[in-house]
Amino acid sequence: MPQIKALFAQLKEVFLKLDKSKRIVVAGTAGATFLLLVAVVFWASRKDFEVLYSQMDPQEAGVVVQKLKADKIPFRLTSGGTTILVPRKKVYEVRLSLASQGLPEQGGVGYEIFDKNNIGATDFVQKINYQRALEGELARTISSLNEVKRARVHLVLPDESLFVEDQKPTTASVTLLLKPGRRLNDGQVRGIANLVSASVEGLKPQNVTIVDSNGNILSRILQKDDTAGLTATQIALQKNVEKYYAGKVQSLLETVVGTGKATVRVSADLDFNKVQQTVEKYSPDTTVIRSVETNYQITPGDTLKGTGGKVENRIQNYEINKTVQNIIRGVGTIRRLSVAVMVDGKYISAKGKNGQPVQQYVPRSPQEMTKLTSVVKSAIGYDAKRGDVVNVVNIAFDHSAFEKEQMALVAAEKRARVARMIRSGLYGLAGVVALFALWKILRSFRTEIQPLDEEEIPFGNEDIAQEIPTEIQRKIQIQQKVANLSTENPEEAAKLLKAWIVEEVTEDAET
């Protein structure tokens, strides 16, 4: 401790001997270094938080927060309390721990509600618990779909009536919170409706109402009108046919003209009429014996004279050859295809008015367009009898949007590069400031040696003084100052003497 006090006293003395400008520099560098060290320590000790659960129901979030408080796990709340953050190192551990306890309760309580025996529960309470459990299990099952983030199910289970005409139908409503950027197609909506209806006795798919978080009704396709459902299927089939032919022609053309230089649109006219015919064809030239009938008739007369006797009558029935055909035409056959194709031209390098290089548009030759038209017809199976139409046009594409996008990407990359350079420069500047501050502090520990005055030269000879080592000169200076100050200022002389003794002790300990 005495040595530390002496060291601080020496530092204070050295600092007070400096002029005003040097004091400001030393104090500023020391303060900047201290703040930098504090920032580094704070950054190193700061806990990095990561999302545990997001977009939670406030009730579920409250239960999870209470559990985190009980387990003494640090957390943060954002997005109005619907997002919970915990330290990054504990995210997966906390999720597994909460999942083992049934938290968060996705879609509400399930069949675990019956794990606890409630002896005093009435039939009404048991019925309500069963309905809650069934709703919770259905919500959990629906939430397992890739597109669904959360689901809630409400069931209306009417009491059984003695009369069929008085029986009220069972209904259900499903609310879906979809994941960002996801949507359900018609098949998935039908699947959810059938899942719910098959899980509840007496529930029909038409009585299931499905809405999303924005209030849009997704279950319109479940209406009893078969025509509406068939129309939706027809539209989907037509889109698939058009998409198939468009993709087929697009990929074929881009191998010739280049990627992004061809645009294809296909319009398909499909026949959705279901026709069943029965055709009977007869061939009169071809006959076959169907049946033969022979009758005998006895006529009166004299047998000796040769009159009378038995007469044979034969009847033959013939059948004309007949062919019966039952013809059922397939639904969705192609009546007509209309294909519109736009092909970009070629570009060659040229000089503009200012001598700057530009891309000059050159249209494609008629021979090349004829070949491209033939290729398109072959790709779609062109049938003139069917009334197919193919139109291939050569036109200059507008690349301004693409060029703007490219310029925006280049500008964004440039800004990112500048940001990286600035960040690297700040890191380097912080390192330089830290090194400079450390150098200043170390330098302040050392006492600057002033050249000897004429009266301070040992033995009165400057040549001898030059041969004396610097450390010896410094000691001579201190001795002379102590001798001079002992008469003028005894207190300052005592300080210098004490500093000299401390330095001598330190040097002896080092050697």
Side-chain angles (χ1 to χ4, degrees), residues 206-308:
Q206 293 81 6
N207 293 334
V208 179
T209 302
I210 303 175
V211 298
D212 60 8
S213 57
N214 296 323
N216 300 319
I217 299 177
L218 306 178
S219 57
R220 295 184 185 274
I221 60 174
L222 302 176
Q223 299 176 358
K224 291 184 178 181
D225 188 2
D226 295 336
T227 304
L230 184 61
T231 302
T233 305
Q234 291 175 357
I235 294 174
L237 180 58
Q238 182 177 357
K239 289 183 178 180
N240 290 335
V241 172
E242 293 175 350
K243 183 179 179 181
Y244 168 74
Y245 281 104
K248 190 176 181 180
V249 175
Q250 182 90 26
S251 61
L252 186 62
L253 289 178
E254 286 186 347
T255 58
V256 179
V257 299
T259 304
K261 291 191 174 183
T263 303
V264 182
R265 294 293 181 269
V266 177
S267 177
D269 183 11
L270 304 182
D271 185 5
F272 294 103
N273 295 324
K274 186 177 181 180
V275 180
Q276 182 175 358
Q277 294 179 340
T278 301
V279 180
E280 295 185 2
K281 294 182 179 180
Y282 296 92
S283 180
D285 298 333
T286 304
T287 59
V288 294
I289 298 176
R290 181 178 183 182
S291 63
V292 178
E293 181 180 355
T294 304
N295 298 322
Y296 295 95
Q297 184 178 4
I298 300 175
T299 59
D302 189 355
T303 305
L304 296 175
K305 295 182 179 181
T307 60

